[in-house]
């Protein structure tokens, strides 16, 4: 074989013949005693079957039950050194996702060789790609899920289209596009119902309440929250009811029912669900109720947790704005509030913009600074218009 021919094969510009591929494998087997390539063509078929099985477990939320089988598969080196090499690399990433490990590092390799996977694997890769982007608040996650959905239309995997729609719904809600999430609920629910994925249906109802909340339909949202609190123990765990309390408390906060907002937030914390936004509810509700000491206590409690994730850092920035307002540190408050409003353009799902504007209005009203008050009110109007 000429050097130029071999070079083209390495670059993927020329397909290697079976006999040449086997000759290369035998060459390396002769040089390295512990290396052996498995020529069993059924390996690829078995790997694809396992990928499909993983998708089904993903739909039914029983990923953990797949772990022993995945561990057994990945412990067999012949799967990696076989025609199922690329499928095995995908299964490695699926295993990492199912075990809550950092799976994103494998994505560039899989995406580079996307044309070597079948449609089922491609749809799974794009779905995981979307989830990885969602974790970093990257709005292009929407495009990834849409691609995954287009690849899955003809796959006939019960509930899989529904799960991708569910991920799209979560993404639209994250980026404050509830009007785009709303039309997906009916079809997604039908997919889950037909597949018998009842735990997913519960999650879907939870997100439907969120969607109503973001659309300003508080009555509909609260009705779902109440229903979920009454029925959650039939199909899920205390962690799920804590999540309901988180959303319910936020609903009450937006409706200015501050005492109820505090009660629901505390119930969530009692169930050991310390979602960072709970401390926005506790601190801001106490401020509105004229209880500054309790508000400051909530801020101090959150700061002691020393959280490092991006969302918690943004929550702390809001709490620091509120803290400086309550302590009467006027210049520091104005500076931090102005900085935060700029940063919130990328964090609109925190939904604290109105709270910051309200504090600024209260601040300049108390100072009788009509000029600054008019500027803030103009900015608030512009925010509400867009």
């Amino acid at each position: 074989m000429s050097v130029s021919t071999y070079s083209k094969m390495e670059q993927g510009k020329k397909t290697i013949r079976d006999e040449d591929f086997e000759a290369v494998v035998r060459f390396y087997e002769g040089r390295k005693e512990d290396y052996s390539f498995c020529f069993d063509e059924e390996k690829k078929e078995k790997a694809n079957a396992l990928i499909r099985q993983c998708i089904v477990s993903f739909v039914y939320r029983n990923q953990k039950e797949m772990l022993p089988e995945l561990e057994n598969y990945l412990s067999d080196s012949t799967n990696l050194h076989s025609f199922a090499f690329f499928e095995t690399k995908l299964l490695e990433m699926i295993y990492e996702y199912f075990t809550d490990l950092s799976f994103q590092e494998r994505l560039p390799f899989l995406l580079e060789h996307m044309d070597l996977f079948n449609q089922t694997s491609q749809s799974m890769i794009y779905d995981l790609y979307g989830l990885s982007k969602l974790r970093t608040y990257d709005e292009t996650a929407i495009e990834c899920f849409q691609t995954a959905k287009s690849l899955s239309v003809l796959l006939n995997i019960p509930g899989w289209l529904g799960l991708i729609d569910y991920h799209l719904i979560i993404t639209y809600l994250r980026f404050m596009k509830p009007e785009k999430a709303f039309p997906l609920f009916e079809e997604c629910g039908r997919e889950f119902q037909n597949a018998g994925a009842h735990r997913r249906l519960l999650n879907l109802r939870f997100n439907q309440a969120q969607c109503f909340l973001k659309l300003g339909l508080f009555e509909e949202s609260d009705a779902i929250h109440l229903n979920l609190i009454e029925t959650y123990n039939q199909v899920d765990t205390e962690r799920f009811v804590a999540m309901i309390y988180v959303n319910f408390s936020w609903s009450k906060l937006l409706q200015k029912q501050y005492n109820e907002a505090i009660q629901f937030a505390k119930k969530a914390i009692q169930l050991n669900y310390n979602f960072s936004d709970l401390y926005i509810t506790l601190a801001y509700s106490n401020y509105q109720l004229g209880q500054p000491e309790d508000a400051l206590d909530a801020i101090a409690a959150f700061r002691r947790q020393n959280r490092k994730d991006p969302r918690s850092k943004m929550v702390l920035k809001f709490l620091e704005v509120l803290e400086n307002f309550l302590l009467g540190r006027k210049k520091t408050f104005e500076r931090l509030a102005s900085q935060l409003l700029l940063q919130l353009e990328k964090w609109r799902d925190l939904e604290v913009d109105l709270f910051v504007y309200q504090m600024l209005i209260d601040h300049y009203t108390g100072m009788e600074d009509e000029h600054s008050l008019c500027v803030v009110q103009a900015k608030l109007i512009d925010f509400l218009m867009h």
Side-chain angles (χ1 to χ4, degrees):
M1 185 186 301
S2 68
V3 173
S4 62
T5 299
Y6 188 78
S7 179
K8 287 178 181 179
M9 289 177 179
E10 285 188 320
Q11 296 170 29
K13 295 178 180 179
K14 185 177 178 63
T15 303
I16 190 170
R17 295 181 304 173
D18 288 346
E19 54 266 33
D20 291 333
F21 175 72
E22 186 171 349
V24 171
V25 169
R26 298 306 180 206
F27 173 83
Y28 283 110
E29 286 179 335
R31 293 295 186 277
K32 193 173 182 181
E33 292 181 2
D34 59 346
Y35 176 75
S36 178
F37 188 88
C38 179
F39 283 88
D40 183 357
E41 295 187 6
E42 290 185 1
K43 287 283 188 182
K44 195 177 185 73
E45 183 180 336
K46 291 178 181 177
N48 281 320
L50 186 54
I51 290 169
R52 187 182 179 93
Q53 193 177 340
C54 286
I55 290 175
V56 172
S57 73
F58 197 12
V59 170
Y60 290 95
R61 276 186 58 193
N62 56 8
Q63 302 98 299
K64 302 302 180 185
E65 295 176 16
M66 280 293 301
L67 296 182
E69 188 169 354
L70 280 171
E71 288 169 355
N72 182 58
Y73 176 90
L74 294 173
S75 66
D76 184 352
S77 62
T78 62
N79 292 316
L80 187 64
H81 301 154
S82 73
F83 293 120
F85 171 81
F86 291 99
E87 288 76 13
T88 302
K89 301 303 285 186
L90 172 55
L91 285 164
E92 286 176 342
M93 187 174 74
I94 292 173
Y95 176 81
E96 288 170 348
Y97 179 75
F98 283 4
T99 51
D100 302 317
L101 297 174
S102 181
F103 68 96
Q104 299 93 323
E105 296 172 5
R106 296 189 185 274
L107 276 165
F109 176 84
L110 297 180
L111 293 168
E112 182 183 354
H113 300 93
M114 184 64 77
D115 59 322
L116 297 175
F117 294 95
N118 64 25
Q119 275 196 311
T120 302
S121 296
Q122 288 176 357
S123 69
M124 183 62 164
I125 292 169
Y126 274 112
D127 188 70
L128 292 177
Y129 192 23
L131 291 171
S132 73
K133 286 180 174 290
L134 191 58
R135 288 186 176 185
T136 58
Y137 293 83
D138 184 342
E139 198 167 345
T140 59
I142 293 170
E143 298 170 12
C144 296
F145 292 130
Q146 289 173 336
T147 301
K149 185 175 180 179
S150 67
L151 289 164
S152 305
V153 173
L154 301 177
L155 294 182
N156 193 30
I157 301 177
W160 181 224
L161 271 174
L163 183 56
I164 297 171
D165 269 342
Y166 175 72
H167 291 156
L168 263 173
I169 287 169
I170 293 172
T171 308
Y172 284 135
L173 294 179
R174 169 70 58 83
F175 294 105
M176 298 303 290
K177 297 180 178 180
E179 72 285 352
K180 291 190 175 182
F182 187 79
L184 296 174
F185 281 96
E186 184 176 354
E187 183 62 31
C188 183
R190 190 181 301 113
E191 281 278 326
F192 286 155
Q193 187 71 48
N194 291 339
H198 301 299
R199 295 179 73 188
R200 288 293 182 188
L201 278 169
L202 194 67
N203 289 131
L204 187 65
R205 288 283 287 164
F206 173 79
N207 282 282
Q208 190 172 30
Q210 271 196 312
C211 187
F212 282 137
L213 187 58
K214 292 181 187 296
L215 289 169
L217 302 172
F218 298 112
E219 187 176 341
E220 290 83 352
S221 177
D222 288 354
I224 293 176
H225 286 136
L226 286 169
N227 177 259
L228 288 173
I229 289 172
E230 292 170 357
T231 61
Y232 83 94
N233 57 356
Q234 299 175 14
V235 287
D236 221 290
T237 62
E238 284 189 349
R239 185 179 184 277
F240 185 75
V241 79
M243 291 167 58
I244 300 168
Y245 283 135
V246 170
N247 272 16
F248 211 175
S249 70
W250 191 259
S251 175
K252 295 301 181 184
L253 174 63
L254 295 181
Q255 296 177 70
K256 300 183 179 180
Q257 298 173 13
Y258 300 117
N259 281 315
E260 290 182 71
I262 291 171
Q263 290 173 13
F264 285 126
K266 286 183 176 179
K267 285 183 177 181
I269 293 174
Q270 287 169 1
L271 291 169
N272 297 315
Y273 193 78
N274 281 328
F275 184 49
S276 57
D277 293 32
L278 286 168
Y279 292 88
I280 295 176
T281 301
L282 289 172
Y284 192 78
S285 294
N286 277 303
Y287 150 60
Q288 287 290 352
L289 290 170
Q291 299 167 171
E293 292 302 321
D294 290 338
L296 291 170
D297 286 345
I299 295 169
F302 184 75
R303 183 179 281 118
R304 284 195 297 271
Q305 294 174 21
N306 195 30
R307 301 191 188 189
K308 301 298 183 183
D309 63 282
R311 189 178 187 88
S312 292
K313 289 179 180 179
M314 287 302 299
V315 168
L316 182 58
K317 287 181 179 181
F318 169 79
L319 294 177
E320 287 174 342
V321 169
L322 177 56
E323 181 182 49
N324 280 279
F325 175 73
L326 293 172
L327 294 174
R329 299 169 181 165
K330 298 179 180 179
K331 294 297 182 183
T332 304
F333 162 71
E334 290 177 10
R335 175 174 56 81
L336 292 179
S338 298
Q339 291 174 353
L340 181 59
L341 285 172
L342 293 174
Q343 294 172 309
L344 287 174
E345 292 178 5
K346 294 183 178 180
W347 288 85
R348 290 198 64 182
D349 71 311
L350 274 178
E351 298 181 81
V352 296
D353 308 68
L354 292 177
F355 302 159
V356 178
Y357 281 119
Q358 185 59 58
M359 282 187 279
L360 284 166
I361 289 171
D362 292 346
H363 171 69
Y364 289 123
T365 300
M367 293 176 62
E368 298 183 354
D369 184 345
E370 293 185 4
H371 173 72
S372 297
L373 179 59
C374 288
V375 172
V376 170
Q377 288 174 331
K379 289 181 178 179
L380 174 58
I381 292 169
D382 182 67
F383 169 77
L384 292 173
M385 292 291 289
H386 297 90

